[in-house]
Amino acid sequence: MELDYYEVLGVHRNADESEIKTAYRKLAMKYHPDRNPGNAEAEQKFKEAAEAYDVLRDADKRARYDRFGHAGLGGGAGGFGSTEDIFSHFSDIFGDLFGFSSAGRASRAMAGADLRYNLTISFSQAAAGDEITLSLPKHITCPDCKGSGAAAGSSVETCRQCQGHGQVRRTQGFFQIAMPCTACQGTGRIITKPCPRCKGEGIVADTRELVVRIPAGVDTGTRLRVRGEGEPGTHGGPPGDLYVVLSVEQDKRWQRQGQDLLCRQEISFVQAALGHRVEVPGLNGPLPLEIPRGTQSGSLLRMPGEGLPYPGRATRGDLLVEVRVLTPVRLSEKQEEILRQFEAAAEKSPLEKVKKAAKKIGKAMGID
C-alpha cells in the first residue's frame, strides 16, 4: 500500500516548510533507533517518516506528488536502505538531536551542500526544449585519497577520546550533556597524516562539464534538479543536488500567458467587414487564419493547440490572435466620396428607416 506522506507526518496538505520539519523532528525523536533498540516496527516508522519528509520538504517533488500522487514522482522517491542512509541524508536534522548516537554519525558523514545555477535561455530553447552543456566550478572528492583525507600509506584512526562517537558526555548535577569532542572536532576520526592535495578535507576544487536537458515549454522560475551534482559529502556522506533555475528571454512576436501565446494582427476596416485570410506567426512558421466577416476591433480569435507544450505532457496551449481594425487617416477625394455613398446607402436601408421612425414617435410621445 502506498504511503500518504501527509498522514505519515500528521500534517495538513497546506502545511508550510516549518510545520513539515517540526513534524518530522518529533517522529524522528519518537522512533529513533537508539530509543527503540531491536524494535522492527519503530524502525519501519522511522524510515517511512524519512521518506515522507524527503518528498514534502522539496518544492518540486511536493508539487508533483500533490498533483499526480506517487506516479508523479517517477521513481524520484523511495525508501531508505538503512538508518545510516537517513542519518547522513538529513544530517542537518540529526545534528540538532544531541544525546543520540546519530549526532556522532552525522558529524562523521555529512551530506554535501546543494548548489544553485542561474541559467538564461532563449524563447526558442524554452519552446522546443534543448540540451545545454554547463561548465561548473565545484568541489569534487579528492582523487588522491578518495575522500578519506588521509595521505597514501596512512589510515584514518578512530578517536580514542570519544571512541568514534564525535561527542563526549558531561554530567552536571542531574543532567547529562552531550558535547562535541575537542580532540577530533566532532568527527570521531583522527587523521595523523593528512593528504597533501586536499589537506585532510577529502575534497578539492575543480571545474566540471555537465549536460542539462531543458524540457519543452519551461518558463522563467522553473527549477531543474540534477541529483548528486552538488557539493560532495564529507567522510563518505552523499553529495548534494544541483538546482538549475531558468530565466526565459521574451520574444517580440508573442506575449506569453502561461502556455498560451498572444499576438496582434492588424487589418483594414474593409477586411474586417468582408472577412479576410491572413497569416499569423506560429512556433513552426506562419499559420493561416480566417478573419470572419464583421469582426470587431479587439476581437480575440483562438487557434487551439498552437501554443507552448506543457512540460512532460502531450498537450499544448493555444495561440490567441487579437484583431485590431485600422482606421485610415489620409483619404483621397475618391475614397471620401465612396465612403459618403456607403453611409448614404446605409441610411436608406429598411432597418435604418424603422429606427428613424421609432425615434420620431418617441420624441412625439415625450419618450427619449
Side-chain angles (χ1 to χ4, degrees), residues 106-306:
S107 64
R108 296 199 302 272
M110 296 288 289
D114 293 334
L115 296 177
R116 171 178 174 142
Y117 186 89
N118 296 327
L119 177 63
T120 299
I121 61 175
S122 67
F123 182 88
S124 60
Q125 287 175 309
D130 200 2
E131 287 189 350
I132 298 179
T133 301
L134 305 179
S135 182
L136 304 172
K138 60 174 294 185
H139 290 94
I140 62 171
T141 300
C142 177
D144 288 0
C145 66
K146 305 300 186 293
S148 70
S154 66
S155 60
V156 180
E157 300 177 0
T158 300
C159 177
R160 296 180 179 179
Q161 181 166 312
C162 65
Q163 304 302 315
H165 293 294
Q167 59 183 3
V168 293
R169 297 178 184 275
R170 297 285 185 267
T171 301
Q172 295 181 0
F174 295 102
F175 299 97
Q176 191 177 66
I177 302 175
M179 304 177 63
C181 176
T182 56
C184 63
Q185 285 72 52
T187 64
R189 304 151 22 108
I190 297 293
I191 300 176
T192 57
K193 189 177 180 182
C195 170
R197 184 167 183 175
C198 67
K199 305 297 188 293
E201 295 296 325
I203 55 176
V204 293
D206 193 21
T207 300
R208 183 172 183 178
E209 289 194 345
L210 179 68
V211 177
V212 176
R213 187 180 69 84
I214 309 295
V218 295
D219 200 355
T220 294
T222 298
R223 295 197 316 164
L224 304 178
R225 184 180 188 179
V226 186
R227 286 187 172 277
E229 292 298 338
E231 293 283 14
T234 57
H235 309 307
D241 298 328
L242 170 67
Y243 289 90
V244 180
V245 183
L246 301 180
S247 177
V248 180
E249 295 177 339
Q250 294 183 352
D251 191 291
K252 62 181 180 180
R253 294 170 292 179
W254 303 285
Q255 177 182 337
R256 181 169 182 172
Q257 299 177 349
Q259 303 310 108
D260 293 337
L261 297 176
L262 173 66
C263 69
R264 293 177 175 83
Q265 179 65 41
E266 296 179 343
I267 60 174
S268 70
F269 73 96
V270 176
Q271 293 171 334
L274 302 180
H276 189 62
R277 184 183 179 90
V278 299
E279 284 189 342
V280 295
L283 289 174
N284 298 313
L287 296 172
L289 174 65
E290 292 291 338
I291 306 292
R293 296 171 65 94
T295 295
Q296 301 299 306
S297 186
S299 297
L300 205 61
L301 305 181
R302 184 179 296 271
M303 303 182 72
E306 295 296 343

Side-chain angles (χ1 to χ4, degrees), residues 317-356:
D318 300 333
L319 175 60
L320 309 175
V321 182
E322 181 184 350
V323 179
R324 290 187 172 180
V325 180
L326 298 178
T327 301
V329 294
R330 293 182 181 179
L331 297 174
S332 65
E333 291 183 1
K334 184 177 180 179
Q335 289 173 324
E336 289 183 5
E337 180 61 28
I338 292 173
L339 288 178
R340 289 193 176 94
Q341 292 175 6
F342 172 79
E343 184 178 27
E347 291 178 351
K348 293 177 182 178
S349 67
L351 178 61
E352 189 65 28
K353 290 180 179 179
V354 171
K355 288 182 178 179
K356 287 185 176 182

